[in-house]
Amino acid sequence: GLCILLLYTNPLSCLANFSQAKELIYKIKEGLPRGTFIGAIGVDLNLDFSVDPPFIFSLAQKKVSEQYVNLNNTTGELYTSATEIDRETLCADNLEGQGCVLSLDVFVLPQQYFQLVKVKIFIEDVNDNRPKFPTDEITMSVPENAPINARYAVEQSAVDPDLGPYGVQTYWLVNDFEMFTLDVEENEGGELTPFLIVTEALDRETQAEYITDIIAEDGGTPPLLGAATLKIVITDVNDNCPQFKESQINVTLHGNTTKGVHLARLHAFDPDLGANAQISYAYSERVPRDTRSLFHLDKITGVIKLAGKIDTGTATFYKLTVLATGPGCIPAVATVIVHIIKVVTGPPTLIPRYIAPEKDGVVTIKESEPAFSPIAFFTVKNIDKNQRVECYLEGPGPFRLSPYQLFKNEYLLETTEPLDFERTQEYDLILVANSTRGIVIKTFLKVQVLDENDNAPVFQQSLVEISVEENNPPNTFLTQLQASDQDSESRGEVLYLLGGDAPGIFVVDRVTGILTVATSLDREEKETYRFIVRAVDQGTPRRESIATVVVTVQDRNDNSPRFINKDFTFFVPENFPGYGEIGVLSVTDADAGENGWVALSILNGSDIFMIDTGRGALRAKTSLDREQQGTYQLWIEAVDGGEPALSSVTMVTVLLLDVNDNPPIVLFPQSNQSYMLVLPNTVPGTSITEVYAVDKDTGMNAVIAYSIIKRKGGEPGSFAIDPETGNITLKRELSNRGLYSLLVKVSDHGQPEPLYSTVMVNFFVNETVSNESYIQSLLTREADIEVEERPWYIGQMAEGPERYEPFPCQPVLIALSVTCLGLFFLVVTLTSYICCRRFKKNRMKRSEVEIPLKIQNDSMQVVNRKLRQISNI
């Protein structure tokens, strides 16, 4: 009472002091979806949510805070909002060692509970960013004389916005050509720098550059990769000297050859580049000065021309020693022998006039020129009037030399069909002029065919089919694409590229054509990849061809059978016929073929139930009775056909629904022949006996209603029965002694038709039972029983449940106080009444009469109590 009084006078004394500020700390990962639970502020502050008025939670800076979080104003629960939290965006200015914190100020209202709560949400990093290089192509220069184990820093290292182990952890090359390797060094600031290390001797003249991909890998699981093209250019070093293609050249020259005639062209080659490959030509000191003057040597091109008039009387041949000199090299030596033919009379001469480009006696013509393209005109001169000259062409090739019809002694050199560089690159033609005097003049002409980009690369296979097992390791080799181009130089160099439809997980080496897959494949995610690969040459304009790559992912038994539900519950009416379909268990297996075949079996209860292995239909072998067992729990196993087999188990609960198939069973009275002694002075309103029955069904099928349907003896309305409890109460005084009989109907509420039982309740109204045989004869005598005027249900309809309304604090306390006082007076009254009854019983002397139907009160109460518990269950 004192506690109630204190609570009544000071209802807020039990509340905590909320005025002090508090700080709460939560941790979440970045990138969580909308509606993810963060924390409950009210629960973490141990607030009592039963107070009135209730708590209200509010964000101080709603515009900024609600961009990332939502606050439930009633419960104080924090959830993520529609905008995903990106740690790299939210804390872009933080250093790597600093954490990313989202700070919130939350007000707890109303005023009497006010407090300011500081909420700090630490955003933990996840591996959601790939390493990225600052440029797509990195070019490095390495001299060809670099020693083995020489190190060269790759300055354009990759950047990963993620922190710690999710940042860049290592670098590696897709193709090292067995010439290079990568090493990674960490500086004092923790940054990783890749170093290119030379592992084998380099030679620019063998290969001038290497193109591969450099991969940056972070520490996530699985790791994320970033790639860039690494172009390693081998710079030239002067490690080669000039070499002549021909060490000796023989030239025949007539004594009357005119000045300026081209005699020969020396060609030396140096595989180096730039200044290291510059070659200068000069005569040896062994060549006399006057010979040098007669035969002019161009220092740059190596062309020898006749610079003076030949004296056929003094010499028949000349030996010219030519030196080819490069920077820091020993000169290469070649010899030119010039044979002089004496001419008594002037022979005919062929004077060329070139239409096609010519340089130093070499004519160049494009392979794209059509047939009958003119090359040069030749004019025959120094012919006597009585002399005829016939000109013709010697040597193979699609050329012809024919007289030009408009002019005499003019000949046109032209092609007879298109030229093809890929078939023949150059032709050596001999133009012969034969006079009637037997003089033969030969002029040598070299025709070079210039290559053009007229051939596209050709794949060896236009359709490349590849099979690879799923769950492969990253960077698995798939195949090497091969395409060829008949063109020369850069026009025939082939680069391999992926088409625009190729998924990003596939990588092709641009130079070697090696096709790899960067990640592990999952057949259940995608079984077939079909994309285009391109082979592109380096000509102008570029030509390309395509091939189709089909990658088929082969299945592995890596998926267990999966039930569509975690567990299954089937509701079946009892007495359901045997072998009827109770329900279907749907199960799937993402694998294919035998790996995806699923067989079902029952682990327990197979003596009662059976299941279709393929379809998954669950059936009972016999009809089921809920009164015997209402619930069955089965464990169903699904096993696939893989090797080794994978399986999963689910629980199936079969609940039997009650059917109204059991009428109520009357437990008391035990028979229609039993009776109860009732004193004539029994006061109306006294409960004289009860009818007790149970029903094996459940729910409404087991709800029992009691009613009096017939009577014998007494006036109408003398007795009343409680329709719910079965208690029979005396309503009027019993004026006559003798036997009274009531026919009681005990009915359930089952559907569609309620079931019922009847029982005869007999009362013998008298002070004592003096002649029991007489009473038995009355019970067995047949007589009509009159029907009661009022059905059992009249006046028994209960009103609907009252609407619950929360009471304010003060009325509740007043009601509690009044109840306590009422209970006190009730205890005093009952104590006085019990004492009076005991005193009165001691004075009364009554003869006890043994009645068969009457059971000792204590035992009867125990039985009734147990029977009620059974009925409730």
Side-chain angles (χ1 to χ4, degrees):
L2 180 60
C3 293
I4 295 173
L5 181 61
L6 291 175
L7 185 62
Y8 172 74
T9 56
N10 189 10
L12 299 179
S13 63
C14 59
L15 301 178
N17 183 8
F18 297 115
S19 60
Q20 59 184 3
K22 293 186 178 181
E23 182 177 83
L24 297 177
I25 297 176
Y26 301 106
K27 291 183 179 181
I28 63 172
K29 294 185 180 297
E30 62 172 328
L32 294 177
R34 178 182 183 181
T36 302
F37 177 75
I38 299 175
I41 296 176
V43 174
D44 294 338
L45 292 177
N46 297 322
L47 298 182
D48 183 7
F49 284 92
S50 64
V51 298
D52 185 31
F55 292 105
I56 299 174
F57 300 87
S58 175
L59 288 171
Q61 297 178 342
K62 293 187 176 180
K63 186 174 182 180
V64 177
S65 302
E66 291 182 351
Q67 180 181 358
Y68 300 106
V69 298
N70 288 330
L71 175 64
N72 189 309
N73 294 334
T74 304
T75 63
E77 294 178 346
L78 278 172
Y79 298 90
T80 56
S81 66
T83 303
E84 290 187 359
I85 300 177
D86 184 15
R87 187 197 63 80
E88 290 75 28
T89 303
L90 180 63
C91 304
D93 298 331
N94 285 16
L95 299 177
E96 182 172 348
Q98 298 178 347
C100 181
V101 180
L102 177 62
S103 298
L104 307 173
D105 289 342
V106 178
F107 295 146
V108 181
L109 300 173
Q111 188 63 36
Q112 57 265 42
Y113 315 133
F114 175 79
Q115 63 172 310
L116 173 63
V117 181
K118 296 285 187 178
V119 178
K120 291 185 178 180
I121 303 175
F122 285 83
I123 312 301
E124 297 181 346
D125 188 29
V126 298
N127 191 25
D128 57 346
N129 291 279
R130 294 179 178 274
K132 186 175 182 180
F133 288 89
T135 179
D136 293 335
E137 182 173 289
I138 302 172
T139 302
M140 297 183 62
S141 296
V142 178
E144 63 176 326
N145 63 346
I148 295 177
N149 295 327
R151 303 167 65 88
Y152 298 90
V154 181
E155 299 296 341
Q156 296 94 334
S157 57
V159 177
D160 193 327
D162 294 323
L163 297 177
Y166 298 144
V168 178
Q169 298 297 315
T170 186
Y171 294 84
W172 46 275
L173 295 176
V174 173
N175 185 3
D176 58 9
F177 303 100
E178 298 183 353
M179 304 291 289
F180 306 96
T181 188
L182 271 186
D183 188 19
V184 180
E185 292 186 2
E186 183 176 357
N187 60 16
E188 296 179 354
E191 296 180 354
L192 299 179
T193 301
F195 279 80
L196 184 70
I197 301 176
V198 180
T199 59
E200 296 292 339
L202 303 175
D203 185 6
R204 190 206 62 80
E205 289 72 34
T206 303
Q207 186 166 347
E209 65 180 14
Y210 298 86
I211 300 177
T212 183
D213 287 338
I214 182 173
I215 305 297
E217 180 178 318
D218 64 17
T221 304
L224 299 180
L225 308 178
T229 300
L230 180 62
K231 185 176 182 180
I232 306 171
V233 179
I234 310 302
T235 58
D236 186 47
V237 176
N238 189 25
D239 56 350
N240 292 280
C241 289
Q243 296 290 331
F244 279 106
K245 288 187 175 180
E246 298 177 287
S247 61
Q248 182 172 331
I249 299 175
N250 294 313
V251 178
T252 301
L253 189 64
H254 292 88
N256 60 349
T257 302
T258 57
K259 180 180 177 181
V261 171
H262 173 82
L263 300 181
R265 184 178 186 271
L266 298 170
H267 184 72
F269 174 73
D270 191 330
D272 293 325
L273 291 177
N276 296 329
Q278 291 182 356
I279 300 173
S280 62
Y281 300 91
Y283 284 121
S284 170
E285 293 296 331
R286 299 178 182 179
V287 180
R289 184 173 298 176
D290 55 349
T291 303
R292 297 183 203 173
S293 301
L294 180 61
F295 301 100
H296 177 266
L297 173 62
D298 191 298
K299 294 182 179 180
I300 298 175
T301 64
V303 174
I304 300 176
K305 294 183 179 181
L306 183 62
K309 188 176 181 181
I310 298 175
D311 185 2
T312 58
T314 58
T316 57
F317 75 95
Y318 293 91
K319 183 178 180 181
L320 307 177
T321 302
V322 181
L323 305 177
T325 305
C329 291
I330 300 174
V333 180
T335 303
V336 179
I337 305 298
V338 181
H339 298 274
I340 306 298
I341 300 176
K342 290 185 177 182
V343 179
V344 178
T345 59
T349 58
L350 289 175
I351 306 300
R353 288 173 292 169
Y354 297 102
I355 301 173
E358 180 271 341
K359 185 177 182 181
D360 302 329
V362 178
V363 177
T364 56
I365 183 172
K366 297 180 180 179
E367 64 175 331
S368 61
E369 293 291 341
F372 306 108
S373 296
I375 298 174
F377 268 112
F378 289 90
T379 303
V380 182
K381 291 189 176 182
N382 198 16
I383 301 177
D384 294 338
K385 293 181 180 181
N386 299 324
Q387 186 179 8
R388 288 187 302 113
V389 176
E390 180 183 3
C391 293
Y392 56 90
L393 192 64
E394 289 184 353
F399 304 95
R400 71 179 181 181
L401 182 66
S402 57
Y404 194 63
Q405 298 177 358
L406 299 180
F407 301 97
K408 188 179 180 181
N409 297 326
E410 296 281 351
Y411 292 86
L412 176 64
L413 178 63
E414 60 185 355
T415 61
T416 58
E417 60 183 52
L419 304 180
D420 188 359
F421 174 84
E422 288 72 33
R423 189 186 307 165
T424 307
Q425 288 78 35
E426 63 181 16
Y427 299 88
D428 291 319
L429 304 181
I430 302 175
L431 288 82
V432 179
N434 191 0
S435 68
T436 54
R437 296 181 180 178
I439 299 176
V440 178
I441 302 298
K442 293 185 178 181
T443 300
F444 298 91
L445 180 64
K446 178 174 287 189
V447 178
Q448 288 185 346
V449 181
L450 297 181
D451 185 29
E452 289 193 329
N453 194 28
D454 58 343
N455 291 281
V458 178
F459 279 99
Q460 290 186 357
Q461 294 176 290
S462 60
L463 177 62
V464 181
E465 295 181 327
I466 307 167
S467 296
V468 59
E469 282 193 346
E470 63 176 332
N471 305 327
N472 58 288
N475 304 310
T476 297
F477 171 85
L478 298 179
T479 189
Q480 183 171 14
L481 304 172
Q482 293 183 344
S484 59
D485 193 320
Q486 296 181 358
D487 294 323
S488 63
E489 298 178 352
S490 63
R491 292 174 290 272
E493 296 178 0
V494 179
L495 296 181
Y496 299 91
L497 304 172
L498 293 176
D501 60 341
I505 59 175
F506 294 99
V507 179
V508 65
D509 189 283
R510 298 178 62 183
V511 177
T512 64
I514 293 178
L515 181 64
T516 58
V517 57
T519 61
S520 180
L521 299 177
D522 186 0
R523 188 205 65 81
E524 289 70 37
E525 181 178 339
K526 191 170 185 180
E527 184 174 4
T528 303
Y529 297 87
R530 188 184 186 94
F531 53 90
I532 299 298
V533 290
R534 301 161 51 208
V536 183
D537 63 21
Q538 302 301 298
T540 304
R542 291 192 174 188
R543 294 181 178 271
E544 67 176 66
S545 62
I546 61 173
T548 301
V549 176
V550 178
V551 179
T552 302
V553 184
Q554 296 178 342
D555 186 49
R556 296 179 66 181
N557 192 26
D558 58 344
N559 290 277
S560 300
R562 185 175 182 181
F563 290 93
I564 61 171
N565 296 328
K566 185 178 180 181
D567 50 46
F568 294 82
T569 301
F570 298 120
F571 295 89
V572 182
E574 63 175 330
N575 305 325
F576 191 71
Y579 297 98
E581 186 177 294
I582 296 175
V584 176
L585 281 73
S586 297
V587 60
T588 60
D589 194 316
D591 294 322
E594 294 183 359
N595 296 332
W597 295 350
V598 179
L600 299 176
S601 62
I602 301 176
L603 299 181
N604 65 319
S606 59
D607 54 339
I608 301 177
F609 295 91
M610 61 181 295
I611 190 167
D612 294 347
T613 301
R615 183 167 172 265
L618 181 65
R619 306 174 189 273
K621 297 179 180 179
T622 60
S623 179
L624 303 178
D625 187 0
R626 188 204 62 79
E627 284 72 34
Q628 294 183 2
Q629 183 172 346
T631 303
Y632 295 89
Q633 287 188 338
L634 308 176
W635 291 99
I636 308 298
E637 182 182 34
V639 182
D640 63 20
E643 184 64 36
L646 301 178
S647 64
S648 63
V649 178
T650 188
M651 185 179 74
V652 177
T653 302
V654 180
L655 298 176
L656 297 183
L657 301 178
D658 185 43
V659 175
N660 192 25
D661 56 349
N662 291 281
I665 300 174
V666 179
L667 300 180
F668 184 83
Q670 295 179 350
S671 72
N672 290 332
Q673 302 298 317
S674 62
Y675 65 94
M676 176 76 67
L677 178 65
V678 179
L679 299 177
N681 60 351
T682 302
V683 180
T686 302
S687 176
I688 54 179
T689 188
E690 69 173 345
V691 177
Y692 183 71
V694 295
D695 196 316
K696 294 182 180 180
D697 296 321
T698 60
M700 296 303 295
N701 296 331
V703 176
I704 298 176
Y706 302 89
S707 62
I708 300 174
I709 58 175
K710 292 184 180 181
R711 67 174 176 80
K712 178 182 179 183
E715 298 179 1
S718 298
F719 300 94
I721 188 168
D722 190 304
E724 295 181 356
T725 64
N727 289 328
I728 298 177
T729 306
L730 181 65
K731 291 297 184 179
R732 295 182 182 182
E733 291 183 357
L734 301 175
S735 58
N736 298 322
R737 288 172 171 76
L739 184 66
Y740 293 77
S741 298
L742 302 177
L743 182 61
V744 177
K745 180 181 180 180
V746 183
S747 175
D748 61 23
H749 286 65
Q751 294 294 332
E753 179 104 10
L755 303 179
Y756 68 91
S757 300
T758 60
V759 65
M760 188 72 72
V761 181
N762 301 302
F763 304 105
F764 184 71
V765 180
N766 199 9
E767 286 79 1
T768 60
V769 178
S770 59
N771 191 350
E772 185 175 347
S773 59
Y774 170 73
I775 298 174
Q776 292 295 333
S777 64
L778 293 177
L779 292 174
T780 57
R781 184 184 306 169
E782 294 184 0
D784 294 334
I785 299 179
E786 298 180 9
V787 179
E788 280 284 359
E789 295 82 357
R790 296 181 56 191
W792 63 271
Y793 53 82
I794 295 179
Q796 304 299 330
M797 298 300 294
E799 296 180 357
E802 295 183 356
R803 182 180 178 184
Y804 172 76
E805 294 183 1
F807 293 97
C809 186
Q810 291 182 357
V812 171
L813 295 177
I814 293 173
L816 289 174
S817 301
V818 173
T819 303
C820 291
L821 293 175
L823 291 174
F824 175 77
F825 288 116
L826 179 62
V827 169
V828 172
T829 303
L830 290 176
T831 304
S832 300
Y833 176 76
I834 293 171
C835 292
C836 291
R837 286 289 302 272
R838 288 183 178 179
F839 179 76
K840 188 176 181 179
K841 283 183 178 180
N842 292 331
R843 296 181 61 183
M844 292 178 62
K845 291 183 179 180
R846 296 178 55 186
S847 62
E848 297 181 357
V849 179
E850 184 177 357
I851 302 175
L853 272 177
K854 197 164 185 180
I855 307 173
Q856 294 183 2
N857 291 334
D858 294 339
S859 301
M860 187 64 184
Q861 290 176 1
V862 173
V863 172
N864 290 340
R865 190 180 303 113
K866 291 184 179 180
L867 291 175
R868 289 192 185 94
Q869 292 176 354
I870 295 173
S871 176
N872 291 335
I873 294 175

